[in-house]
């Protein structure tokens, strides 16, 4: 869900928010489905694939979500560049309740573009986490989820590139 924060010098400050609970819900659902359809006689393999949200396992997913969110912020750099406020960063594991992307967008930026961007980022985050989990528990499915994540990233880039500059058409005399 995106929200409008303030208007500043011809731009709007908006925040795209991603609830951890919703991300984990989707990740667990996909892992459960993958575990259910897994072609193996070994129940332990089914169980391991489906236990993505269990204590200890979810720590790896948290790291993947943090990394994937950082990649999205960097991809959105034309809209997310901000001065360094907190010069000291650390790599402590934190389970955020909400992930956010603060963006400065032109006043004429479309609400529908923000909604699409938000949904594509959600899809990318979920697919990257499932891809990582499959690499441990069901390697044959890793490529499938990597492709889904790459597709979401391509769509984010495509939509971002369409928004960055105004299209100028040359005048034709005829």
């Amino acid at each position: 869900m995106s929200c409008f924060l303030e208007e500043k010098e011809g731009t709007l400050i908006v925040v795209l928010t991603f609830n951890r609970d919703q991300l984990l819900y989707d990740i667990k659902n996909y892992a459960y489905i993958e575990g259910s359809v897994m072609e193996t006689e070994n129940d332990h393999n089914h169980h391991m694939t489906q236990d993505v949200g269990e204590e200890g396992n979810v720590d790896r997913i948290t790291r993947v979500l943090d990394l994937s969110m950082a990649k999205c912020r960097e991809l959105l750099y034309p809209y997310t560049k901000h001065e360094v406020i907190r010069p000291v960063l650390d790599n402590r594991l934190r389970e955020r309740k909400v992930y956010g992307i603060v963006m400065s967008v032109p006043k004429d930026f479309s609400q529908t573009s923000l909604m699409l961007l938000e949904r594509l980022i959600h899809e990318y985050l979920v697919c990257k986490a499932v891809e990582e989990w499959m690499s441990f528990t069901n390697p044959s499915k890793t490529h499938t989820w990597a492709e889904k994540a790459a597709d979401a990233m391509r769509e984010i880039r495509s939509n971002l590139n369409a928004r960055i500059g105004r299209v100028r058409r040359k005048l034709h005399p005829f």
Side-chain angles (χ1 to χ4, degrees), residues 18-32 50 52-54 57-63 65 95-97 99 122 125-126 129-130:
F18 305 89
N19 292 323
R20 176 183 171 79
D21 290 343
Q22 292 297 310
L23 293 167
L24 287 176
Y25 178 82
D26 287 348
I27 292 164
K28 289 176 190 178
N29 275 340
Y30 287 136
Y32 182 83
Q50 294 172 336
V52 67
E54 298 301 315
N57 297 346
V58 77
D59 293 344
R60 181 63 197 145
I61 298 305
T62 298
R63 294 278 189 200
L65 288 173
E95 290 186 1
R96 295 163 176 78
K97 289 184 188 257
Y99 293 89
H122 178 97
L125 295 171
V126 169
V130 174

Side-chain angles (χ1 to χ4, degrees), residues 20-162:
R20 176 183 171 79
D21 290 343
Q22 292 297 310
L23 293 167
L24 287 176
Y25 178 82
D26 287 348
I27 292 164
K28 289 176 190 178
N29 275 340
Y30 287 136
Y32 182 83
I33 292 166
E34 287 290 0
S36 293
V37 300
M38 183 186 264
E39 295 178 9
T40 182
E41 298 291 323
N42 188 339
D43 284 340
H44 182 68
N45 289 351
H46 292 283
H47 169 73
M48 286 305 299
T49 300
Q50 294 172 336
D51 281 350
V52 67
E54 298 301 315
E55 187 176 341
N57 297 346
V58 77
D59 293 344
R60 181 63 197 145
I61 298 305
T62 298
R63 294 278 189 200
V64 172
L65 288 173
D66 289 346
L67 177 61
S68 299
M69 181 59 70
K71 286 180 180 179
C72 287
R73 286 185 186 117
E74 189 63 21
L75 177 66
L76 298 170
Y77 179 77
Y79 301 114
T80 60
K81 57 184 173 185
H82 298 286
E83 293 179 23
V84 175
I85 297 170
R86 206 174 39 159
V88 178
L89 301 172
D90 65 62
N91 68 344
R92 282 183 285 164
L93 183 65
R94 291 185 191 91
E95 290 186 1
R96 295 163 176 78
K97 289 184 188 257
V98 176
Y99 293 89
I101 299 177
V102 178
M103 299 173 60
S104 300
V105 298
K107 279 185 179 181
D108 65 348
F109 200 96
S110 170
Q111 178 70 26
T112 57
S113 294
L114 283 174
M115 289 170 56
L116 177 60
L117 187 59
E118 181 180 62
R119 283 163 177 79
L120 289 170
I121 292 171
H122 178 97
E123 184 69 9
Y124 172 75
L125 295 171
V126 169
C127 290
K128 284 305 285 184
V130 174
E131 172 194 350
E132 179 74 10
W133 192 246
M134 290 299 121
S135 73
F136 298 131
T137 63
N138 190 0
S140 66
K141 288 296 193 165
T142 303
H143 180 73
T144 300
W145 289 98
E147 275 299 309
K148 289 177 179 287
D151 287 346
M153 184 57 75
R154 275 191 291 279
E155 285 195 55
I156 292 168
R157 279 194 180 101
S158 173
N159 286 295
L160 182 64
N161 290 338

